[in-house]
Amino acid sequence: MSFIDIRQIGPMTTVQDLGRKGLQHAGVSGSGPMDAPSFRIANALVGNDPMCAGLEFAGVGGSFTVSRPVRFAVTGGDVDIRLDGIRAHPWESYDLLSGVTLTIGALRECVWGYLAISGGIDVAPVLGSRSTHLRSGLGGHHGRRLQAGDRLPIGDAVSSINLALGQPWRRSGRPIRVVCGPQDDYFAEDVRQTFLEMAFIVSPTRDRMAQVLDGPPIRAVGGHDIVSDGTCPGSIQVPSSNKLFVLMAERQTAGGYPKIATVASVDLPRLAQVATGRTVRFARISQGQAEELLIAERQALRSVLANLVAKPASNDRPGEISQ
């Protein structure tokens, strides 16, 4: 069996695949990557099946060695990458030989990064997925954050060439699109207008479960407690603090706070990648528009993955990274 060894690691690195399906009725949320398009691209760059597991890190990557040659790719944003001190680039795949140390530095202007290894991280699945769910201790490597000294098994790789995307997947500063409700009637009309017209700041209170937005108070005239009902990724709950809590990959599957809106699935990865201290605004769309946008996004991503380009033999950079 082949392994990847962790020499150094950032504070929030976990094993993730595309998440668990069909268990929300039992209180088990999907988990999976915070930025699924970047995760999918990383797997595609090394020739993996989309369901292969990789590593998700927040802020800082770490340093790694492998017991056999593999291909690797790092996506999510712009980041310094070194192979025994020699520079490599994100959104491209490279060969990592045994005995060579891969070092991934700090992400710039984003939060979540992804390391894919050809063959995938081959930890045992739990409830049909290798994704780590930190709050329940499910999946991944003993259901916890990774730490220096961990050794993870690598699956068998399918032969492929080194590939490049050339630039990161879509980024923009446009407003985050939301579908209002299901409890927007708990909020007065002027509060709903404030929600849609004012800017909010991404606070340091954030993890894989939720991120808190600071800004004007969002008070619920109907009260901040409801009979618990279902949540989904992107649900924007408003507890008695009057702050916005956006539920993310490891959310609870039910909650007792009114939800003023839900982030459109197409924009949830983009919100997850907004750096702490930056501002966001919201724009209202219909449920039908949200569905059409997601379909179009998935079609565009499939087209991009089908047209990845082979890297020049010299490993020259095929395109500039821009954010």
Side-chain angles (χ1 to χ4, degrees):
M1 181 174 285
S2 301
F3 298 93
I4 180 170
D5 289 296
I6 298 175
R7 306 300 183 183
Q8 295 179 319
I9 199 71
M12 179 64 85
T13 304
T14 58
V15 176
Q16 298 294 336
D17 60 17
L18 289 177
R20 292 177 178 81
K21 311 296 182 186
L23 293 172
Q24 293 187 63
H25 69 284
V28 180
S29 61
S31 197
M34 296 283 279
D35 179 355
S38 290
F39 177 86
R40 288 178 177 273
I41 290 168
N43 264 334
L45 286 169
V46 299
N48 283 346
D49 183 273
M51 285 303 299
C52 279
L55 301 186
E56 178 185 81
F57 61 94
V60 178
S63 60
F64 312 85
T65 58
V66 291
S67 62
R68 67 162 169 84
V70 298
R71 281 176 306 283
F72 78 91
V74 179
T75 63
D78 197 8
V79 63
D80 185 69
I81 305 167
R82 303 282 169 166
L83 292 166
D84 275 354
I86 299 173
R87 188 181 183 191
H89 304 288
W91 308 96
E92 303 181 12
S93 61
Y94 292 85
D95 296 319
L96 175 59
L97 305 180
S98 55
V100 174
T101 298
L102 165 64
T103 303
I104 304 171
L107 292 161
R108 292 182 281 270
E109 293 301 317
C110 68
V111 180
W112 302 97
Y114 298 90
L115 169 62
I117 298 291
S118 54
I121 304 300
D122 197 24
V123 296
V126 177
L127 298 178
S129 171
R130 293 179 171 87
S131 280
T132 306
H133 191 284
L134 291 171
R135 291 181 178 269
S136 63
L138 287 175
H141 187 65
H142 309 301
R144 61 165 172 79
R145 301 175 188 180
L146 299 176
Q147 58 193 33
D150 283 341
R151 166 172 274 201
L152 306 176
I154 302 172
D156 295 330
V158 176
S159 177
S160 70
I161 59 175
N162 289 345
L163 299 168
L165 183 64
Q167 61 182 19
W169 184 239
R170 299 173 175 177
R171 295 280 191 269
S172 92
R174 68 175 179 267
I176 301 297
R177 292 164 289 195
V178 297
V179 177
C180 289
Q183 285 94 31
D184 54 327
D185 58 341
Y186 272 59
F187 303 87
E189 175 62 27
D190 63 322
V191 173
R192 296 198 296 268
Q193 287 300 114
T194 295
F195 169 72
L196 293 171
E197 293 174 358
M198 301 296 290
F200 295 85
I201 300 171
V202 177
S203 86
T205 305
R206 62 189 306 178
D207 58 15
R208 284 180 43 79
M209 180 179 179
Q211 57 190 65
V212 179
L213 305 182
D214 291 331
I218 303 298
R219 296 185 176 88
V221 294
H224 288 275
D225 293 300
I226 63 172
V227 175
S228 291
D229 67 354
T231 68
C232 64
S235 290
I236 305 178
Q237 291 186 323
V238 187
S240 58
S241 65
N242 300 317
K243 294 179 180 291
L244 303 179
F245 280 61
V246 186
L247 302 187
M248 307 301 283
E250 287 192 18
R251 80 197 190 282
Q252 70 276 20
T253 58
Y257 300 127
K259 296 172 286 294
I260 191 171
T262 303
V263 175
S265 297
V266 70
D267 279 353
L268 192 57
R270 187 161 58 88
L271 176 60
Q273 290 286 23
V274 176
T276 299
R278 295 302 179 92
T279 61
V280 296
R281 291 177 178 271
F282 296 106
R284 180 176 185 170
I285 59 174
S286 68
Q287 181 178 333
Q289 288 173 315
E291 292 170 354
E292 291 171 0
L293 287 167
L294 183 60
I295 291 169
E297 175 91 347
R298 289 177 173 173
Q299 290 173 339
L301 182 58
R302 282 196 295 268
S303 177
V304 166
L305 297 184
N307 291 285
L308 293 172
V309 297
K311 283 172 48 178
S314 63
N315 280 348
D316 288 342
R317 194 174 193 175
E320 288 300 313
I321 295 296
S322 60
Q323 288 282 33

